[in-house]
Amino acid sequence: MKTQSMHRDWIATAQTLSKALPFMQRYEDATVVVKFGGHAMGDDEQMASFARDIVLMRQVGINPVVVHGGGPMINEMLDKLEIKSEFVNGKRVTDAATVKVVEMVLSGLVNKRIVQAISSQGGKAVGLSGKDGNLMFCEQTNPDLGFVGTPTEMNTDVLRKLFEAEIIPVIAPLGMGRDGETFNVNGDTAAGAVAAALEADRLLLLTDVAGVKDAQGEVLTEITPEQIRALTESGVIAGGMIPKTETALNAIEGGVRAVVILDGRAPNACLLELFTEHGAGSLIRP
Ligand code: X2W
């Protein structure tokens, strides 16, 4: 049986699609890098919703790239193995035993969970890490942090080949050293490096806060790099937001057109940002 109220829902859906047309035209062939942090992943339903948004982007002609984190999942495995772990300035101190667990969890469990979620929504995804296709070479960030890497040389050939085949790359943030080491790279840093190397149109940093806030705690919907520097100096931008805004500034300097910091737990966060007038989170651009 069908009712009038169901009909109204369908009309709303049709109107929404119609209104999305100019946005779809604007982003045709655009490259959008999405950082999907461990805190934004949530349960299977949230994962499925994220995957559906990514598949929809691909469907309308965008080249989406997912770069994921997985800090909480690494913590859980380290706990089980009784390996102690600490963070200094948002980066995990990573010894030889820890980097093995990081690679196992990120490249194995987390990466494949996302790839499978995209497949379940009818998309085609290929999982890789910075070690595949010479994608990301790193140098040690700081000897005190052990095997933590800073990306120094990117090779995006493999990603461009995947775009041609309409395949969605899903990237785990690990890099290679020149001496055969494996480096653990902060997920935001890796996403920024991938976005800059691709000169992406958008970098979406999905996290568990609504965006960059001003001194009154209001989310700033649009903000320039200069304003970010001023808010950081005055201490309004602090703590966990600093690696995100730093990533945003580096990405813009590296040639990314705009960066958005947004709450990945909100339903359809990516679609809201890309396909509506309203947008979501904080848009950072020069
Ligand atoms: C991170 C990599 C994962 C990550 C770590 O070991 O936790 C460093 O800290 P989220 O979920 O995005 O925080 N690497 C060097 O960044 O995960």
Side-chain angles (χ1 to χ4, degrees):
M1 223 163 17
K2 291 174 184 155
T3 63
Q4 278 249 289
S5 64
M6 280 160 97
H7 187 60
R8 275 196 294 276
D9 274 358
W10 295 326
I11 291 173
T13 307
Q15 280 174 343
T16 307
L17 270 173
S18 172
K19 282 190 199 142
L21 176 64
F23 298 96
M24 290 183 186
Q25 287 166 330
R26 183 198 296 169
Y27 289 115
E28 164 122 48
D29 245 350
T31 299
V32 176
V33 176
V34 183
K35 156 71 198 310
F36 193 31
H39 289 284
M41 279 171 206
D43 60 18
D44 286 349
E45 183 38 50
Q46 279 167 303
M47 177 63 83
S49 163
F50 169 79
R52 214 156 35 235
D53 287 5
I54 297 290
V55 172
L56 193 143
M57 281 187 218
R58 182 64 267 173
Q59 190 71 37
V60 299
I62 292 174
N63 297 310
V65 180
V66 178
V67 180
H68 63 84
M73 297 78 186
I74 298 169
N75 290 342
E76 200 184 308
M77 187 59 78
L78 287 171
D79 273 353
K80 274 190 195 150
L81 298 169
E82 296 180 0
I83 298 173
K84 284 210 170 22
S85 187
E86 56 162 348
F87 284 83
V88 174
N89 293 332
K91 299 198 171 109
R92 188 188 305 277
V93 180
T94 306
D95 63 11
T98 304
V99 79
K100 285 190 178 155
V101 178
V102 170
E103 184 167 33
M104 203 166 78
V105 172
L106 293 182
S107 275
L109 293 176
V110 180
N111 189 277
K112 296 312 156 214
R113 183 176 174 218
I114 299 168
V115 168
Q116 201 167 4
I118 291 173
S119 303
S120 298
Q121 298 302 327
K124 268 189 293 179
V126 164
L128 61 170
S129 83
K131 290 166 85 170
D132 293 283
N134 293 339
L135 177 60
M136 186 160 72
F137 285 99
C138 289
E139 275 170 11
Q140 191 179 46
T141 302
N142 171 345
D144 295 345
L145 296 175
F147 293 99
V148 171
T150 302
T152 50
E153 194 193 316
M154 306 292 293
N155 182 342
T156 57
D157 287 359
V158 66
L159 302 183
R160 296 188 194 277
K161 297 231 159 67
L162 294 173
F163 294 162
E164 278 166 28
E166 300 189 0
I167 292 172
I168 301 161
V170 177
I171 304 170
L174 294 142
M176 307 181 269
R178 290 289 174 190
D179 297 320
E181 316 92 304
T182 299
F183 282 116
N184 177 13
V185 183
N186 171 274
D188 294 331
T189 309
V194 168
L198 288 168
E199 296 189 329
D201 297 278
R202 283 280 184 284
L203 166 62
L204 308 184
L205 293 173
L206 300 190
T207 180
D208 58 356
V209 292
V212 182
K213 294 178 181 159
D214 65 12
Q216 283 73 45
E218 283 245 22
V219 173
L220 295 154
T221 52
E222 248 193 277
I223 182 166
T224 63
E226 290 72 37
Q227 289 167 329
I228 289 203
R229 284 190 199 99
L231 285 175
T232 309
E233 250 168 56
S234 63
V236 174
I237 293 178
M241 188 48 78
I242 289 184
K244 306 218 178 285
T245 48
E246 266 177 9
T247 297
L249 299 186
N250 289 338
I252 286 168
E253 215 155 275
V256 177
R257 284 176 49 203
V259 181
V260 187
I261 298 177
L262 67 167
D263 190 345
R265 298 162 312 167
N268 307 107
C270 295
L271 299 190
L272 186 63
E273 169 48 36
L274 293 174
F275 298 125
T276 72
E277 203 86 59
H278 177 269
S282 301
L283 175 75
I284 304 156
R285 67 174 161 203

